Amino acid sequence: MSIIRPFRADDLFKFNNINLDIWTETYGLGFYFNYLSRWPDMCSTAQHPNGRLMGYVIGKAEGSSHDFHGHVTALTVAPEYRRLSLARTLMNFLETVSDEVYGGLFVDLYVRCTNAIAIDLYEGLGYSVYRRVREYYGSLGLGPGGKDEEDAFDMRKPLVRPNGRDMIVSAHDVS
Amino acid sequence: MSTLALERQIRPIYDSLDSGSHKSALLACNKLLKKHPKNDHLKALKALALTRAQKFEEAIALCEEVLATKPTDDGAINALMHALRHLGRFADLVKLFEDAFKQQPDNDELGRQAFFANVRAGNWKAAQLLANKLNKQFHNDRYIFWGIMCTVLQANDPMTTAEMREILLKLAHRLITTSWKPAEVHADRLYLFVTILQQLGLYKDARELLNTESGRFHCARNLSCDYLRRDIMRAGDWQREEAETAEQRILSKRDRNWLEFVSILDATFLPSALPNETTCESNSSSPSSFLQRVEKTRDLFTKVAEEDGSHERAAWLGLMELERRCGVHGIVSEPSRLLDLLKRYFRIFGDKAACFEDLRPYTDLGSDVLADWLAFLEGITHSPPSNTALSRFINAHKLLRHGLSVAQLTPDQEEIRAADLVRGYFEALPLEKDLPNLELQPADDLAVLAGQVYANAFTLDNAAAHLHKAIVVLEYASKKSPQSYQIHLELVRIYRLLGAPQLALDHYRLLNVKQIQNDTLSYLILSRSTNFSLAATGDLTYASECLESSHIYFSNSQETSEFIVKAFSMEKYSQISELVVFEERLDNSLQRDLVKIEHVRLRISHEPITPELVDMELIELKFIFDRLHHDNRDLEVLPNYQPRGQLSFLSQTTLFGREPATGWLSAFLKIYIKTLSEASDLDPSVEDDKLLIGDRPRQCCSPDASIPLMERLTIQTTEELSELTENELALFHYVNDLTDWLDPFHNFLRPQGESPKQAPKNGQSSNDGVPSDGNGKKLEDAPPITEPPDSILSYFKNAHAKFTGAVEGRRPFYEILHIATLTQEALLLFFICTKRFKDASIVRINKLGVLAQHIKSLRSSAADVVGQIGAQLINISELEGTADKRRQFIEHCEALQTHTEITHEYVLEVGKRLTESQRKVLEGVGRGIERIRKTPM
């Protein structure tokens, strides 16, 4: 039981219960407004009927004609609202818009190679590892997971046709 | 030199600016300017370099110089644009581009930039006219829509009258109707059209538009359009039709958005559909048809719920909401129906963390079934241990607590409950003992709950022992789950209540609050921070925290308007109004100015009171006074687990039981504006130019803005008075009496020459207290000297009596500190207000010797009182942080040591840190007072 509605600028005043969680970054105003002023239809918030925000997804459409696709920039659910399939609902929303509004060929996202829970979730939603991006999270340095901590998987889900996989590229080659 | 050669020399300046080497950029500009002293591009670049190097005064002067030449050179315009944007001079930006566009009317790009400049400045009318002009000249559809959007923004501007709003909306309506091309509709244009119709109340037209092929297409794919469609259906009273759509979405598209269920419920309980026995309106339906509708909805939700099972919560909660609404409308239902639903829901979803929040609104049960429900919850245990069982156990405890009656809330019973929760916490911890420390322990909520139970016990009997136990448990939990923000937040609140500000700040910092969160969360630590600040001793922790938390407002004024511009250029009309409102809300944030006033309060306690400080703060505070504030503070960030009808945890842990708001702010602004006005020589007519950064803030349409400021300062509203503590109110009256007494003498001595004093520049003093006519003598005589009102001295005496009473009555440290810091503040305000009369020559020339004598004697008595308070604080501090206090702390927490995890050493450590923090603040404030008392002002 959640309200699925557009992500709005004033959600920034209320998203603390989501963003105070360690895994969710709070960016500068420009980050959110860049998405809202360009792809507002790819941003959505889940809200509890009591008014508390539960999670949100922020995405964009990018690429040139042959690889035009939807991209999940941020997907997050507050700790107290996890295990309610909210991530699945928000991802479904983004996939539908990527497909039906933007005519994207696939949806992609980056995930830390060590984040097994997230990878499982995305695999369950039909995403698969397309390539490994070296040092994508390099700024944090090597954690206990070694290289896995720094590298990201670029995961994709085809909307129209499948793509190849199992390539390794450097961080410079991705946007 | 050829243009090409000059360009080649200019390029490195850009490189320097890009790499942040402002100094080398400046040097290069100066060097080239020697050869090309009239080159606008170079001057604009120099202005930009100066801005980046924070040399604002020079930058502004240079910007104005270039502006005056009305540059048309692309390079000059761009550089100047960046400089002006950095300086927040949006009005100048408008001028820059409008002048350039006038000179090159065929330049589409310049026209667009002139439009954007107006958008940045919020000049909707000018922007609209410009958009029309652009459309006429360059024939582009988007310019028509830009103009329409600006018309709507102008209509909704708070300064627009109701009549004008109507006219503007009708104009927008006419424009959009004539330029509407159904075949080329995109979602945001549709959104704009529908909002215009909505604001004009033309719901039928709006519905028709949404029902067109493109309307349906966009509503099915664009959340903003669909959300707006729901509003239209509600406003137009078409809930029945909306319910049909919702039913279809639920059944055929498996849509489980709660809004669909609400649509069906709203239609079921439409006011016109309710059987109304008292009014018997003709359109109200018969009881039987109404009940049939309820039954139909119930059947639908039951069917969906059974199908969904544990996959979706919506239909289950829909069923409970149906029962709740039946109850509200007095429809007799099976009493056990809701109870059965609650139990069933708990069985299915009890392992979800959200279960408590989901069920809370439905647990106001009648006495007949309440006992059954509570017995059901009490039967929930967490054995055999598993994460699922633990979640159920936690949810059961939250629900049980929510249902407690007032009679069950005694300190002893709360202690027993807290002990149970703590036991549950330690029993559950081994479940995830190997969890990486970035993850949250599933048992965390038990510690969080225990913290709230202890806080409630403290509210009931004021015994600090409860809070001591709370911090022992929570500190332990925070080590096990270092990333739990709820645990840190509870500790922040409890440490403040215990008068241990450093520990509160430590936990606050662990939250890593940043960006916009500074506006919404800094109240947790900065509210009344003067109470705990050691600024007077040179410890600027809180003062710098205030400054850091205020950066976001600068980012807002720099960045948000850029994205409003971007939304225009991307034609995302659905976002523009929201971004405009956001910018306004953050710009006029209540927390922004609460922090500002705290910063001023801290500043005067550690900085010398120079004329520059007085003037600059006065100007800023006067601007703030006219703001219409928005309260953006997130007061819901901490979940509340206190029983229904009781104060929330946040309220219980708010110092003095009330959080400062607009009334408090207004009262403190009056205190400071009055005091600083007395000390300042600024002429109000020249103040507007003094804000070096940015344009003059837009003034609100406050109903009494027409009354002169000084008159408004004398008005006291009940809102203000109700938000102040007793001691703050005393300070408020004290300042009134002090300034009333001294005002005639200040006015007499204040220079009143023909040319008003200019703003202070580069720290030079403009306030020397000497009258301006050359020999410093005014023609008229000094006003007759009056005795100081008794209330001034009695303020200090009363404060001392209250302080002693609080110490002897063993009141909480924050209360004792409150009296002490306010009395210190009163003395500082006295210094500021009487500084003018310290100059012996002025006093002698103006024959104000008697007045100076009064002031001197008052000052000495007040300083004596303040000094005694300071000394007493130091004395008390010596009793804190001692072995005795630590022993006491350990005794309070003895019961907790039955858990093997809570060792004696651990409790001792927590107690040591607490008492040490308390000692430090008591001693620090005491020493600060000592310093201030001795400072020659």
Side-chain angles (χ1 to χ4, degrees):
Chain A
M1 180 191 67
S2 321
I3 292 166
I4 302 296
R5 61 159 178 80
F7 185 98
R8 293 193 299 249
D10 64 4
D11 285 345
L12 269 61
F13 291 124
K14 292 182 286 184
F15 66 14
N16 291 317
N17 63 321
I18 303 171
N19 280 36
L20 284 175
D21 186 55
I22 177 75
W23 296 114
T24 305
E25 179 63 33
T26 300
Y27 299 98
L29 299 177
F31 172 85
Y32 303 98
F33 295 164
N34 182 38
Y35 282 86
L36 286 178
S37 60
R38 295 172 75 176
W39 305 280
D41 48 355
M42 296 190 87
C43 305
S44 172
T45 300
Q47 187 182 340
H48 196 276
N50 67 12
R52 265 173 101 78
L53 300 194
M54 305 171 88
Y56 56 83
V57 66
I58 292 175
K60 62 180 171 179
E62 60 179 359
S64 50
S65 57
H66 65 282
D67 73 344
F68 193 69
H69 63 278
H71 175 74
V72 186
T73 305
L75 170 71
T76 172
V77 175
E80 65 266 36
Y81 302 116
R82 290 186 189 149
R83 298 176 54 239
L84 299 173
S85 303
L86 274 183
R88 178 183 291 267
T89 310
L90 292 169
M91 288 293 281
N92 279 345
F93 151 81
L94 196 121
E95 287 162 14
T96 309
V97 177
S98 298
D99 184 14
E100 296 183 10
V101 178
Y102 289 93
L105 302 173
F106 58 90
V107 174
D108 74 349
L109 54 91
Y110 293 122
V111 59
R112 203 181 286 270
C113 295
T114 46
N115 194 345
I117 298 172
I119 294 168
D120 280 353
L121 164 83
Y122 294 128
E123 282 184 341
L125 292 172
Y127 288 75
S128 51
V129 174
Y130 171 70
R131 54 184 180 173
R132 183 182 178 117
V133 183
R134 276 191 184 147
E135 296 168 16
Y136 184 74
Y137 299 103
S139 59
L140 294 178
L142 285 182
K147 276 281 170 206
D148 281 357
E149 196 98 342
E150 294 191 308
D151 293 0
F153 285 136
D154 172 357
M155 296 186 80
R156 294 187 177 185
K157 177 179 181 174
L159 295 173
V160 181
R161 61 182 168 77
N163 275 264
R165 58 165 66 186
D166 293 330
M167 287 164 64
I168 296 184
V169 295
S170 93
H172 305 293
D173 299 335
V174 294
S175 51
Chain B
M1 197 188 291
S2 72
T3 325
L4 209 65
L6 180 62
E7 269 178 27
R8 219 175 19 244
Q9 285 179 302
I10 284 180
R11 210 164 302 142
I13 303 180
Y14 280 102
D15 294 340
S16 301
L17 284 170
D18 285 346
S19 62
S21 325
H22 318 309
K23 218 172 181 179
S24 62
L26 261 177
L27 284 174
C29 285
N30 286 336
K31 200 172 150 194
L32 280 175
L33 273 167
K34 278 187 187 151
K35 287 184 199 160
H36 310 276
K38 294 205 179 303
N39 187 303
D40 283 342
H41 191 175
L42 282 172
K43 283 190 203 166
L45 278 173
K46 185 179 172 184
L48 180 57
L50 286 167
T51 332
R52 299 260 172 96
Q54 313 266 320
K55 295 181 176 168
F56 299 125
E57 270 181 76
E58 276 181 77
I60 289 170
L62 202 54
C63 282
E64 281 171 359
E65 196 182 316
V66 186
L67 259 181
T69 66
K70 302 187 177 175
T72 50
D73 165 57
D74 277 357
I77 290 180
N78 268 324
L80 197 57
M81 175 179 82
H82 283 108
L84 289 172
R85 259 167 46 181
H86 194 88
L87 292 165
R89 314 264 302 191
F90 293 121
D92 286 343
L93 264 178
V94 171
K95 190 175 167 333
L96 170 71
F97 284 109
E98 286 193 344
D99 285 346
F101 184 46
K102 263 181 210 152
Q103 292 176 74
Q104 297 184 26
D106 294 331
N107 189 332
D108 193 358
E109 176 59 25
L110 276 181
R112 266 203 302 274
Q113 289 300 337
F115 173 82
F116 292 150
N118 276 299
V119 166
R120 280 191 200 97
N123 296 340
W124 307 123
K125 190 177 178 186
Q128 184 244 325
L129 293 172
L130 206 51
N132 291 350
K133 194 171 162 187
L134 288 172
N135 179 47
K136 274 184 197 144
Q137 198 156 344
F138 305 108
H139 307 291
N140 187 332
D141 259 10
R142 72 154 66 179
Y143 296 143
I144 304 178
F145 282 87
W146 285 5
I148 296 167
M149 185 72 231
C150 289
T151 313
V152 174
L153 289 167
Q154 195 194 339
N156 292 326
D157 192 290
M159 301 297 277
T160 307
T161 61
E163 298 81 41
M164 192 41 123
R165 180 174 185 270
E166 179 91 11
I167 294 169
L168 287 165
L169 287 173
K170 281 183 177 161
L171 171 68
H173 182 215
R174 201 172 61 242
L175 287 169
I176 204 164
T177 311
T178 49
S179 51
W180 193 246
K181 293 175 188 159
E184 296 170 20
V185 173
H186 64 69
D188 276 81
R189 287 188 181 180
L190 175 77
Y191 184 92
L192 176 60
F193 199 168
V194 177
T195 49
I196 294 170
L197 295 169
Q198 182 189 32
Q199 291 180 57
L200 283 168
L202 302 171
Y203 304 124
K204 214 167 154 220
D205 294 354
R207 191 182 173 197
E208 269 173 30
L209 191 61
L210 290 165
N211 256 335
T212 57
E213 197 182 328
S214 61
R216 285 200 304 275
F217 176 88
H218 289 304
C219 285
R221 289 162 184 81
N222 185 297
L223 281 179
S224 298
C225 288
D226 195 46
Y227 209 72
L228 188 57
R229 185 191 60 78
R230 290 176 200 278
D231 286 346
I232 297 290
M233 295 301 277
R234 205 174 305 120
D237 217 4
W238 296 299
Q239 282 100 331
R240 289 260 164 80
E241 291 85 337
E242 183 58 16
E244 281 166 24
T245 313
E247 187 173 338
Q248 211 184 352
R249 285 182 177 188
I250 291 170
L251 293 177
S252 56
K253 292 190 178 169
R254 295 193 50 79
D255 192 339
R256 295 295 181 267
N257 192 340
W258 176 242
L259 293 175
E260 308 302 351
F261 291 82
V262 171
S263 296
I264 293 175
L265 287 161
D266 285 349
T268 309
F269 293 93
L270 269 181
S272 60
L274 294 172
N276 193 330
E277 286 161 20
T278 48
T279 56
C280 287
E281 285 170 18
S282 57
N283 62 350
S284 65
S285 59
S286 69
S288 64
S289 71
F290 171 68
L291 290 176
Q292 276 169 8
R293 244 193 322 277
V294 170
E295 213 46 54
K296 188 172 163 256
T297 305
R298 185 176 286 129
D299 288 348
L300 171 72
F301 287 0
T302 309
K303 182 176 158 231
V304 177
E306 299 292 350
E307 272 175 24
D308 287 352
S310 59
H311 292 294
E312 284 286 348
R313 297 131 67 228
W316 293 104
L317 283 152
L319 281 168
M320 283 188 270
E321 178 64 18
L322 182 82
E323 296 307 325
R324 191 189 69 80
R325 292 199 191 191
C326 280
V328 169
H329 295 292
I331 296 154
V332 184
S333 179
E334 287 268 334
S336 62
R337 193 178 267 146
L338 183 56
L339 177 67
D340 289 344
L341 280 169
L342 283 167
K343 286 184 183 172
R344 212 164 161 198
Y345 190 89
F346 194 94
R347 281 191 197 107
I348 302 174
F349 300 105
D351 60 339
K352 311 284 185 197
C355 180
F356 165 67
E357 271 186 63
D358 289 346
L359 291 186
R360 181 161 51 180
Y362 308 114
T363 51
D364 283 338
L365 300 168
S367 51
D368 45 344
V369 288
L370 184 65
D372 196 344
W373 170 235
L374 296 179
F376 169 80
L377 292 173
E378 274 159 7
I380 310 285
T381 59
H382 63 115
S383 62
S386 71
N387 281 344
T388 337
L390 177 61
S391 277
R392 288 175 186 283
F393 181 73
I394 291 171
N395 276 317
H397 269 274
K398 288 179 183 172
L399 286 162
L400 279 167
R401 178 154 187 77
H402 180 65
L404 290 176
S405 65
V406 180
Q408 294 170 293
L409 295 173
T410 62
D412 292 345
Q413 284 175 302
E414 287 290 69
E415 273 289 338
I416 294 168
R417 283 183 199 111
D420 279 350
L421 290 164
V422 174
R423 192 169 46 251
Y425 173 75
F426 284 114
E427 280 170 11
L429 265 188
L431 270 178
E432 294 284 0
K433 61 179 188 310
D434 300 322
L435 209 61
N437 67 356
L438 289 178
E439 297 293 339
L440 299 171
Q441 284 288 346
D444 282 351
D445 271 6
L446 288 171
V448 169
L449 259 170
Q452 299 211 3
V453 179
Y454 283 128
N456 194 45
F458 172 76
T459 310
L460 293 168
D461 67 2
N462 265 321
H466 303 301
L467 298 183
H468 291 164
K469 280 178 224 161
I471 57 169
V472 165
V473 173
L474 289 167
E475 283 285 4
Y476 186 87
S478 84
K479 297 285 172 296
K480 286 284 159 194
S481 222
Q483 305 304 335
S484 164
Y485 78 88
Q486 299 191 0
I487 295 174
H488 291 308
L489 280 179
E490 282 198 1
L491 280 167
V492 168
R493 303 298 289 181
I494 295 174
Y495 276 132
R496 265 169 70 89
L497 214 52
L498 283 169
Q502 188 53 47
L503 295 174
L505 197 56
D506 290 348
H507 279 279
Y508 179 76
R509 285 180 173 157
L510 287 172
L511 296 171
N512 198 14
V513 163
K514 54 173 116 157
Q515 303 290 350
I516 182 71
Q517 293 173 323
N518 280 305
D519 185 48
T520 52
L521 294 177
S522 64
Y523 77 94
L524 289 163
I525 199 79
L526 293 181
S527 159
R528 287 194 170 101
S529 47
T530 309
N531 219 44
F532 298 123
S533 169
L534 307 185
T537 59
D539 176 347
L540 300 185
T541 311
Y542 273 98
S544 44
E545 199 71 36
C546 286
L547 289 177
E548 272 167 40
S549 86
S550 299
H551 287 166
I552 185 65
Y553 307 108
F554 181 68
S555 305
N556 181 42
S557 58
Q558 288 281 301
E559 290 179 36
T560 308
S561 61
E562 291 311 309
F563 290 97
I564 298 173
V565 164
K566 189 169 234 169
F568 264 103
S569 68
M570 303 301 290
E571 291 207 70
K572 299 299 177 192
Y573 301 111
S574 61
Q575 303 305 307
I576 293 173
S577 296
E578 289 181 8
L579 288 171
V580 169
V581 170
F582 178 92
E583 188 185 27
E584 215 264 334
R585 270 183 69 176
L586 192 51
D587 202 34
N588 295 313
S589 161
L590 174 66
Q591 181 61 13
R592 174 188 199 165
D593 293 336
L594 287 171
V595 169
K596 170 71 203 170
I597 200 90
E598 283 300 334
H599 186 250
V600 177
R601 297 173 75 193
L602 299 180
R603 200 177 167 194
I604 60 163
S605 71
H606 74 88
E607 272 188 44
I609 313 292
T610 61
E612 193 199 16
L613 180 151
V614 168
D615 290 349
M616 294 314 286
E617 295 296 2
L618 176 63
I619 293 167
E620 266 200 64
L621 297 183
K622 276 185 177 178
F623 281 136
I624 292 175
F625 194 73
D626 279 334
R627 274 193 178 136
L628 199 61
H629 287 97
H630 297 274
D631 192 354
N632 305 325
R633 294 175 294 184
D634 185 357
L635 303 173
E636 308 287 322
V637 62
L638 250 177
N640 176 39
Y641 300 124
Q642 300 304 22
R644 87 178 121 224
Q646 299 299 306
L647 285 178
S648 69
F649 173 78
L650 195 80
S651 305
Q652 288 176 340
T653 52
T654 299
L655 300 185
F656 314 105
R658 50 204 139 173
E659 202 62 73
T662 45
W664 186 94
L665 176 65
S666 171
F668 269 84
L669 282 172
K670 284 178 182 173
I671 290 176
Y672 274 86
I673 293 174
K674 277 187 163 190
T675 311
L676 296 173
S677 297
E678 296 298 357
S680 171
D681 286 348
L682 277 182
D683 185 307
S685 62
V686 293
E687 285 173 9
D688 289 13
D689 305 327
K690 305 270 176 47
L691 278 188
L692 294 176
I693 301 293
D695 295 328
R696 193 177 200 281
R698 286 225 283 167
Q699 298 302 296
C700 70
C701 48
S702 150
D704 38 53
S706 55
I707 308 170
L709 179 76
M710 295 320 277
E711 275 179 43
R712 270 184 288 153
L713 292 179
T714 59
I715 303 168
Q716 294 170 16
T717 66
T718 46
E719 187 198 15
E720 286 166 8
L721 305 183
S722 68
E723 284 179 22
L724 297 178
T725 63
E726 186 194 340
N727 298 298
E728 286 165 343
L729 189 62
L731 180 76
F732 184 79
H733 291 311
Y734 156 81
V735 168
N736 277 347
D737 294 344
L738 179 65
T739 51
D740 284 351
W741 173 50
L742 291 175
D743 191 53
F745 308 106
H746 279 291
N747 287 341
F748 172 71
L749 283 188
R750 193 174 287 120
Q752 291 172 335
E754 282 169 13
S755 59
K757 290 238 167 191
Q758 294 304 307
K761 284 189 179 172
N762 296 333
Q764 283 169 8
S765 161
S766 71
N767 179 358
D768 51 15
V770 181
S772 61
D773 64 348
N775 59 11
K777 188 82 176 76
K778 288 187 186 259
L779 294 177
E780 71 269 32
D781 288 332
I785 310 290
T786 48
E787 292 269 325
D790 294 341
S791 55
I792 296 176
L793 189 56
S794 57
Y795 168 83
F796 287 97
K797 286 182 178 162
N798 290 343
H800 190 206
K802 275 188 210 158
F803 178 82
T804 314
V807 173
E808 284 168 0
R810 294 179 180 279
R811 300 297 303 159
F813 290 140
Y814 73 85
E815 273 188 40
I816 294 174
L817 289 168
H818 184 60
I819 305 171
T821 49
L822 281 171
T823 320
Q824 165 190 296
E825 194 172 359
L827 184 65
L828 284 165
L829 292 170
F830 185 85
F831 289 161
I832 295 174
C833 209
T834 56
K835 200 165 181 238
R836 197 191 291 281
F837 310 103
K838 287 272 289 175
D839 188 323
S841 63
I842 294 177
V843 168
R844 198 179 56 248
I845 292 167
N846 294 289
K847 295 178 186 151
L848 292 172
V850 180
L851 181 73
Q853 205 48 50
H854 284 317
I855 291 172
K856 201 173 165 191
S857 106
L858 267 178
R859 181 198 148 102
S860 137
S861 315
D864 273 354
V865 170
V866 173
Q868 286 171 39
I869 290 180
Q872 269 176 282
L873 271 181
I874 296 172
N875 284 342
I876 309 168
S877 78
E878 281 161 7
L879 301 173
E880 293 307 311
T882 56
D884 252 9
K885 289 284 168 176
R886 289 194 290 274
R887 201 173 308 119
Q888 223 173 54
F889 184 90
I890 291 169
E891 277 167 21
H892 288 161
C893 303
E894 209 169 358
L896 289 172
Q897 291 181 43
T898 52
H899 303 287
T900 48
E901 295 85 349
I902 306 279
T903 59
H904 177 80
E905 289 69 33
Y906 168 72
V907 177
L908 179 65
E909 181 57 31
V910 176
K912 207 167 152 186
R913 269 187 287 141
L914 173 73
T915 51
E916 188 55 23
S917 177
Q918 290 169 327
R919 187 192 65 75
K920 267 191 182 162
V921 70
L922 291 166
E923 189 195 343
V925 171
R927 298 234 178 270
I929 288 178
E930 285 278 287
R931 192 195 66 77
I932 285 170
R933 187 179 67 89
K934 290 180 190 157
T935 311
M937 285 281 168

